[in-house]
Amino acid sequence: MVKYVIKRILILIPIMIAVSFIVYGILYLTPSDPARLMLGASAPDSALEQLREELGLNKPFLVQYLDYMKGVFHGNFGVSYRSQQSVFLEIEARLPVTLTLAVSSIIVVIIFGLLLGIISAVKQYKFIDKFLTVFSMCAASIPSFWLGLMMMLLFAQNLGWLPSYGVTDGWKSYVMPVIALSLPSLAEVIRMTRSAMLDTINQDYIRTARAKGLQESGVIWKHALKNALMPIITVIGSNFGSLLGGSVVTETVFSLPGLGNMVVSSIRTKDVPQVMAGTLVIAAMFCLILLVVDVAYTFIDPRVRTNYIKEKKAADKGTEVKGS
């Protein structure tokens, strides 16, 4: 297992390099000039040329990219073009907001997604099942930014129950952003849970458990749900990563001082160090979440762990044969 985890972590290195190269290339090809944005439209050409020289903007693309990645490998994400502060400090200040938003959203998705999906499967073809099916379809089709704006009009402007922007009012500041961000993922988890539970409930061992006189709650939670978790965990893991990326839009709508808002603001001013750092941090967290999901498979389903042990023994046996 340790070798498997190490192998997966090593795979992350070329993925992160590819992500950094693509993002840096897109920023390089955009027509705006960071020096012009920093000094203003009325700045003299001599000042612009001097600033470009200081920032290394006159160098070829590959040289600029390699210089930046050299700093990243040494733990230096550079200095922001706008604030002239270390990008690492900017990320350190904004990362808790993004993590709070994403973690709160995934908790809502897990609790309500599993519960409503199980209810929909158990009550198949009844009114509650049809209602949850329609609700899932509607929730999946509503854009997060539109839902956020509508909630701001209703709960902030008209009713005055919740703050409309920032994190100035404690947990209340996260209520509307969490709802707007989690609703599409919630719909997907409900549909996947329902589908997986229906496949499991119709299996022979479930009918056998019921024939033995086990309580229905025990059959559902201990037998059916446990064996239906594999596809559900996959969807939850991928949605957690999507929530981290989707926070870009949500944080912008609600003016939350998180990584997503920083990336959007930095793109407008072509602040390359901040865009690169924010993108790399979000990509790294997404990859680590997928790694955790893969490791969780071995604890949820013993068959995965057994197959891994068999592959390891076969590899060790092959090594011994070659050595002899």
Side-chain angles (χ1 to χ4, degrees):
M1 180 57 64
V2 176
K3 291 183 178 180
Y4 173 75
V5 173
I6 294 175
K7 186 185 299 184
R8 289 301 305 270
I9 293 175
L10 293 176
I11 293 175
L12 297 182
I13 296 176
I15 294 176
M16 296 302 298
I17 292 175
V19 170
S20 66
F21 183 81
I22 293 172
V23 175
Y24 202 94
I26 293 174
L27 291 173
Y28 180 82
L29 293 175
T30 54
S32 57
D33 182 8
R36 178 71 67 180
L37 294 173
M38 293 171 64
L39 297 180
S42 60
D45 293 340
S46 58
L48 291 173
E49 189 63 27
Q50 182 180 356
L51 183 57
R52 294 191 190 102
E53 189 68 27
E54 292 175 359
L55 299 177
L57 300 177
N58 292 331
K59 297 179 181 179
F61 166 72
L62 287 178
V63 177
Q64 292 185 38
Y65 173 74
L66 292 176
D67 288 342
Y68 176 79
M69 293 304 297
K70 189 184 299 183
V72 170
F73 284 123
H74 287 85
N76 180 19
F77 287 96
V79 177
S80 172
Y81 292 165
R82 296 179 300 169
S83 63
Q84 297 300 312
Q85 294 182 353
S86 172
V87 175
F88 183 82
L89 297 178
E90 294 274 354
I91 292 176
E92 187 179 13
R94 293 173 177 269
L95 184 59
V97 176
T98 299
L99 288 179
T100 301
L101 179 60
V103 172
S104 301
S105 299
I106 198 63
I107 290 174
V108 170
V109 169
I110 292 173
I111 294 175
F112 290 98
L114 290 177
L115 181 61
L116 296 178
I118 292 171
I119 293 174
S120 182
V122 173
K123 304 294 183 180
Q124 186 181 13
Y125 301 133
K126 295 184 179 180
F127 172 77
I128 186 65
D129 179 32
K130 296 178 181 178
F131 173 79
L132 291 174
T133 301
V134 174
F135 168 78
S136 300
M137 295 175 63
C138 294
S141 61
I142 296 176
S144 297
F145 70 90
W146 182 87
L147 179 61
L149 293 174
M150 294 301 103
M151 287 192 298
M152 288 171 65
L153 288 174
L154 177 61
F155 296 110
Q157 182 175 341
N158 295 335
L159 299 176
W161 292 351
L162 299 170
S164 59
Y165 64 92
V167 289
T168 57
D169 202 3
W171 62 270
K172 290 184 179 180
S173 302
Y174 288 97
V175 173
M176 290 193 294
V178 166
I179 294 175
L181 184 61
S182 62
L183 197 60
S185 298
L186 175 63
E188 185 177 357
V189 172
I190 290 175
R191 295 198 308 271
M192 177 55 67
T193 303
R194 180 184 184 276
S195 176
M197 286 294 294
L198 287 176
D199 291 340
T200 306
I201 287 175
N202 295 324
Q203 297 296 322
D204 292 336
Y205 64 86
I206 297 296
R207 287 191 287 267
T208 303
R210 286 170 174 163
K212 289 182 178 180
L214 295 180
Q215 293 184 354
E216 185 66 17
S217 60
V219 173
I220 296 299
W221 291 98
K222 293 183 180 180
H223 296 276
L225 180 60
K226 183 178 179 180
N227 290 279
L229 275 179
M230 287 288 284
I232 299 173
I233 290 295
T234 303
V235 171
I236 290 175
S238 61
N239 273 277
F240 192 13
S242 300
L243 291 175
L244 289 170
S247 63
V248 173
V249 177
T250 306
E251 288 176 5
T252 303
V253 171
F254 291 98
S255 299
L256 298 178
L259 279 182
N261 199 350
M262 183 193 76
V263 170
V264 172
S265 301
S266 302
I267 290 174
R268 293 170 182 167
T269 58
K270 202 174 180 179
D271 193 340
V272 176
Q274 281 197 343
V275 177
M276 290 295 299
T279 305
L280 289 176
V281 170
I282 293 175
M285 289 191 294
F286 185 89
C287 292
L288 290 176
I289 290 168
L290 295 182
L291 174 62
V292 171
V293 170
D294 288 343
V295 174
Y297 288 158
T298 61
F299 296 97
I300 296 172
D301 193 343
R303 293 172 297 181
V304 177
R305 184 166 57 252
T306 302
N307 291 334
Y308 177 77
I309 294 174
K310 288 181 178 179
E311 291 177 0
K312 183 180 179 182
K313 289 182 178 179
D316 293 341
K317 185 176 180 180
T319 304
E320 292 176 359
V321 171
K322 290 181 179 179
S324 61

